[in-house]
Amino acid sequence: MADGEGDPGVFTATALPGDPRLLPTVTNAFLGTRVFRDILHAAGVYSGAAGDTHRADVPSPLGLRMAAPGARSPAQSFTLNTWTGTFSHTIQTPGYRATHQLYAHHSLVHLMASSVTIQRLDGSTHPITIQLQSLFVPQSQDLHLRPGPDFQGAHYIYGQTLVPEVEGGPRPTVHMLWTPIPQWLTLGGEERERCWQFLTAVAGSEEEAKRSYSAGLSLAAAGSLHRSHVRAWAALRRGCSVELDGPLALRQALHGCLYYLLSALPPRDSPGVPFHGISPGGLSNGTRGEDYWGHVFWDQDTWMFPNILLLHPGAARAILQYRIRTLEGARRNARDQGYEGAKFPWESAATGREVCPEEIYGAQEIHITGDVVMAFEQYYCTTQDLKLFREDGGWELVEAVARYWCSRMVWSEEEQLYHIRGVMPPDEYHSQVDNSAYTNAVARRSLNFAADLARDLLLPVPEEWEDRARKIKVPFDEERKYHPEYDGYSPGEPVKQADVVLLGFPLMHPMSAEVRRNDLEMYEPVTDPAGPAMTWSMFAVGWLELKELQRAWSQLEKCFSNITEPFKVWVENSDGSGAVNFLTGMGGFLQVVLFGFTGFRIKRSSLLFDPAFPEGITKLKLSSISYLGNRLEVTITREEMRMEVAEASREPPASPLEAVLESGHRFPLREGQSVSFPTAPGWIQRLPSRTP
């Protein structure tokens, strides 16, 4: 490992990777860039119509490179500190140290900042000069930009994207203010140290851009701009803390995944700012032709969301609100294909209309509609947030999806079952198949949840929802006791990625341990070893479930070939192709830790646990598991589990909880009181109310 045996959350190198795609990213909920890059992206700002829609390139003055002319072979280092959310480049000579820092401010989400600090290290009195190299030009291929008057020493440009996503639709506006960047910085002969701050504010309105820039200037003048970012970021990391005792590579991978995924989330205190979803390559990528063009897929709802839900339910809610805001687009997609209800697009941007450049995926990969609803179901079971469903549009979405699935099914007289025909399953090597096991199982789950939710909301339950859920075909081979991927699948046929294995987790489709094992045994050897990174994590979760710890570890190890050095940036495929900064793979990896090692399963009335660690891992500590308004600290070793309610919500009041072991032992979980018991399967549930 490039970092030796140092802090697993700090990645340091003396040289940069040769491929600029593998440079680390700095992002927050609204802005993102790759270090040393001359463009950035703003959330929700797309240009191009339909299949040409892509993140609009915003010119970035932050892609500075620092050089020390005249210095003889200075020592250089490049560091990504995941504890402070900061990237730094340091040049050191015997006489001075120059440090360039870059970060996307975590609480002022319209602000990115960089600074250059020169420190004199000896007693000399001559001026020290550093060169700043920049490719910045205030122009964009995607925005019609005009200059405006300077503001508080900042230059100003503004303009709109060139082409709307849908004909006659809005063209997002971008306003940008930035500190002019000189070519040279000089520390005077009488100075020991000096820091220069460079701010960039980007927003959808002039007022917000100016407000953010002014706020940044004030904090910089007080010497607390970086400190305020570090404080906000550290609070997020503390509130989403996952630590394990195990191999260094595993701990580094864990910190890298948490850094990149949490960077994409809104701060806890910004409920008024609309969230625009998370794409596979994050906000730092998505220019035309790059990393799925910044579109949002099932990657968000299936692969990233479950981790976010356990660690940061407020951010999980913001993701669901993105889907609610795009519901009208999903309704239009269904109508355009001749169906009722709402069909979520395979690739989504700002409107919820299908923006996939290739028609086959948008037409056939319809399982995403069930994936979206599964995220809503997991959120509901974990939070009991009825407001989202009663008042904020959640019920309308769940109901529209149930109507879609009903209209998408056809009745088979021969089998006396409902079929869904002509689809592409998650395994994209096959198309136009009938009765994809995963698609039909996720459709059943959507319908069952819609019926359960309707009852909870005291609404009538359409009879056809439960009837179709009961009678939809999920292919099963009675002789071999496994799930064929679709009607006509032959054992041994190559599979691109995790598909049927997802029935066990996250779908929790009813099956015996024998069938679960058979599914894993059937598909593991035929899954493409060059397939996308998240696949192996789901095999790992399956083997952990069956307590096959060595097999689980061998699957998890495959993920490491997708992690690049030195900054732990993931690539989609192990040969380096596909999306870069692949948050989907990171999401799968985190699920191995948060759901595989713990055995956590989100059920309607409980959170199951059944821990299992591969050899070499001795302890897992989660300081932030959110369940029914409680924030739980959970520490697991092979011998003991320790639980404590670290914080219970007052408004609305959190549900009192208890841990129940399969053996029947019960342990009330009270705020500030730690309980421990031998490591064993069980569940966390509401503490039953005692009647007098």
Side-chain angles (χ1 to χ4, degrees):
M1 285 288 159
D3 327 56
E5 290 292 328
D7 186 328
V10 179
F11 310 141
T12 298
T14 54
L16 295 172
D19 184 345
R21 300 181 313 148
L22 306 182
L23 290 169
T25 63
V26 287
T27 68
N28 59 28
F30 188 73
L31 298 174
T33 191
R34 208 158 56 219
V35 302
F36 302 128
R37 199 177 194 189
D38 61 351
I39 60 168
L40 58 83
H41 295 119
V45 180
Y46 295 91
S47 185
D52 186 47
T53 296
H54 56 278
R55 289 204 193 282
D57 288 356
V58 179
S60 173
L62 294 157
L64 300 177
R65 283 186 181 261
M66 196 171 56
R72 291 184 183 175
S73 304
Q76 295 198 65
S77 64
F78 304 89
T79 299
L80 178 67
N81 188 326
T82 72
W83 302 112
T84 64
T86 306
F87 176 79
S88 59
H89 169 209
T90 299
I91 296 175
Q92 185 151 334
T93 72
Y96 66 87
R97 180 190 300 119
T99 304
H100 173 214
Q101 286 192 321
L102 176 67
Y103 53 98
H105 204 286
H106 183 65
S107 53
L108 296 172
V109 295
H110 295 284
L111 193 70
M112 299 189 85
S114 67
S115 66
V116 176
T117 303
I118 305 176
Q119 296 168 286
R120 194 181 297 276
L121 301 178
D122 59 15
S124 65
T125 56
H126 57 80
I128 298 170
T129 297
I130 290 293
Q131 184 182 12
L132 299 183
Q133 302 164 336
S134 171
L135 299 173
F136 172 63
V137 178
Q139 298 165 2
S140 167
Q141 62 177 358
D142 299 314
L143 297 157
H144 177 60
L145 292 169
R146 296 181 292 280
D150 284 3
F151 172 77
Q152 295 184 345
H155 292 338
Y156 172 41
I157 53 175
Y158 65 98
Q160 284 182 293
T161 55
L162 299 179
V163 181
E165 185 178 317
V166 295
E167 193 174 345
R171 290 186 296 138
T173 303
V174 167
H175 295 260
M176 185 168 91
L177 294 158
W178 74 96
T179 311
I181 296 174
Q183 283 188 286
W184 307 91
L185 298 176
T186 299
L187 183 70
E190 72 290 349
E191 293 179 297
R192 301 295 304 167
E193 179 176 330
R194 187 172 171 189
C195 178
W196 291 263
Q197 305 263 12
F198 304 100
L199 310 184
T200 298
V202 182
S205 70
E206 180 180 355
E207 294 74 23
E208 183 55 59
K210 287 182 173 177
R211 190 191 70 76
S212 296
Y213 192 84
S214 293
L217 272 187
S218 298
L219 287 167
S224 57
L225 178 61
H226 185 242
R227 201 179 318 129
S228 66
H229 158 72
V230 169
R231 198 163 46 238
W233 176 253
L236 175 70
R237 281 300 306 263
R238 271 196 312 276
C240 300
S241 175
V242 184
E243 300 170 54
L244 56 78
D245 292 354
L248 177 64
L250 183 65
R251 289 185 289 136
Q252 290 175 323
L254 179 59
H255 285 293
C257 290
L258 285 168
Y259 166 75
Y260 290 116
L261 188 58
L262 295 177
S263 294
L265 302 184
R268 292 178 188 270
D269 56 357
S270 64
V273 180
F275 189 61
H276 297 275
I278 310 176
S279 57
L283 255 180
S284 52
N285 295 301
T287 193
R288 181 185 265 124
E290 174 188 76
D291 294 342
Y292 302 117
W293 304 27
H295 300 162
V296 178
F297 293 69
W298 75 313
D299 303 49
Q300 169 191 263
D301 310 84
T302 300
W303 298 97
M304 304 175 210
F305 181 86
N307 307 300
I308 296 165
L309 174 60
L310 285 189
L311 298 174
H312 192 343
R317 193 183 206 275
I319 288 171
L320 301 183
Q321 287 172 308
Y322 164 75
R323 290 300 192 185
I324 291 170
R325 280 203 318 280
T326 58
L327 177 58
E328 284 313 307
R331 291 187 196 275
R332 179 70 183 270
N333 296 334
R335 281 201 305 276
D336 286 353
Q337 291 189 0
Y339 300 110
E340 296 176 22
K343 176 203 170 294
F344 281 91
W346 180 239
E347 299 188 28
S348 179
T351 67
R353 299 296 306 280
E354 183 62 68
V355 294
C356 181
E358 298 166 79
E359 185 181 349
I360 186 172
Y361 301 102
Q364 293 189 31
E365 207 153 356
I366 64 173
H367 65 81
I368 185 168
T369 300
D371 301 327
V372 168
V373 167
M374 187 160 64
F376 277 81
E377 180 181 0
Q378 291 169 336
Y379 177 80
Y380 178 66
C381 293
T382 306
T383 67
Q384 288 295 298
D385 175 5
L386 284 166
K387 182 177 182 294
L388 180 77
F389 296 90
R390 281 188 177 135
E391 301 172 30
D392 298 340
W395 164 250
E396 286 76 10
L397 183 147
V398 172
E399 188 261 351
V401 167
R403 289 180 51 232
Y404 169 74
W405 285 125
C406 288
S407 72
R408 188 64 178 78
M409 296 177 191
V410 294
W411 178 250
S412 164
E413 281 293 337
E414 182 185 351
E415 294 195 68
Q416 292 291 294
L417 293 169
Y418 285 101
H419 287 193
I420 298 179
R421 297 175 180 157
V423 305
M424 180 184 284
D427 165 24
E428 292 170 333
Y429 288 170
H430 296 93
S431 61
Q432 203 61 37
V433 304
D434 296 341
N435 296 316
S436 147
Y438 179 85
T439 304
N440 289 20
V442 85
R444 169 184 284 173
R445 186 159 172 165
S446 296
L447 290 165
N448 282 330
F449 174 55
D452 288 343
L453 182 62
R455 274 190 281 271
D456 287 356
L457 298 176
L458 305 179
L459 296 170
V461 180
E463 195 176 310
E464 68 171 343
W465 291 0
E466 294 181 302
D467 181 60
R468 290 177 187 233
R470 207 164 38 243
K471 295 177 183 173
I472 188 171
K473 179 181 182 180
V474 176
F476 184 69
D477 184 324
E478 287 286 356
E479 188 180 327
R480 291 187 178 90
K481 293 282 189 287
Y482 90 107
H483 292 96
E485 189 183 285
Y486 51 83
D487 282 355
Y489 175 82
S490 300
E493 278 190 59
V495 170
K496 179 185 177 185
Q497 63 190 69
D499 187 312
V500 170
V501 296
L502 302 176
L503 264 63
F505 178 84
L507 257 60
M508 294 184 286
H509 186 74
M511 69 180 82
S512 66
E514 178 194 12
V515 172
R516 179 74 159 129
R517 175 182 294 275
N518 291 344
D519 283 349
L520 291 163
E521 297 272 17
M522 179 67 73
Y523 292 104
E524 187 180 300
V526 300
T527 300
D528 189 341
M534 66 280 191
T535 285
W536 314 116
S537 51
M538 289 301 106
F539 281 102
V541 170
W543 289 121
L544 286 166
E545 201 175 282
L546 295 173
K547 303 297 184 277
E548 292 270 11
L549 305 183
Q550 187 52 49
R551 296 189 74 163
W553 180 251
S554 68
Q555 293 302 310
L556 183 60
E557 271 193 312
K558 293 182 184 179
C559 294
F560 287 89
S561 59
N562 296 76
I563 305 173
T564 66
E565 297 298 343
F567 300 113
K568 320 303 174 197
V569 170
W570 283 58
V571 290
E572 181 174 6
N573 304 312
S574 55
D575 63 2
S577 64
V580 174
N581 204 39
F582 190 49
L583 296 174
T584 316
M586 300 185 210
F589 186 87
L590 284 172
Q591 286 192 59
V592 177
V593 178
L594 285 174
F595 292 87
F597 293 171
T598 62
F600 282 154
R601 297 292 184 270
I602 298 168
K603 304 287 279 187
R604 182 161 165 76
S605 57
S606 62
L607 179 65
L608 306 186
F609 55 82
D610 186 7
F613 294 163
E615 194 174 336
I617 297 166
T618 55
K619 184 165 83 170
L620 174 64
K621 184 177 181 184
L622 310 170
S623 301
S624 48
I625 298 303
S626 291
Y627 188 61
L628 300 181
N630 299 275
R631 193 166 63 79
L632 294 161
E633 285 193 4
V634 180
T635 304
I636 306 170
T637 66
R638 294 175 189 281
E639 297 77 32
E640 183 184 71
M641 293 186 72
R642 186 175 294 275
M643 292 187 186
E644 179 181 331
V645 175
E647 188 181 340
S649 166
R650 302 289 182 261
E651 191 54 49
S655 300
L657 301 177
E658 66 174 354
V660 183
L661 300 186
E662 279 187 2
S663 63
H665 288 93
R666 311 171 87 93
F667 301 88
L669 300 174
R670 298 190 175 91
E671 191 170 2
Q673 293 182 19
S674 178
V675 300
S676 59
F677 42 84
T679 299
W683 60 91
I684 301 167
Q685 66 180 20
R686 277 194 180 88
L687 189 68
S689 53
R690 301 280 187 261
T691 50

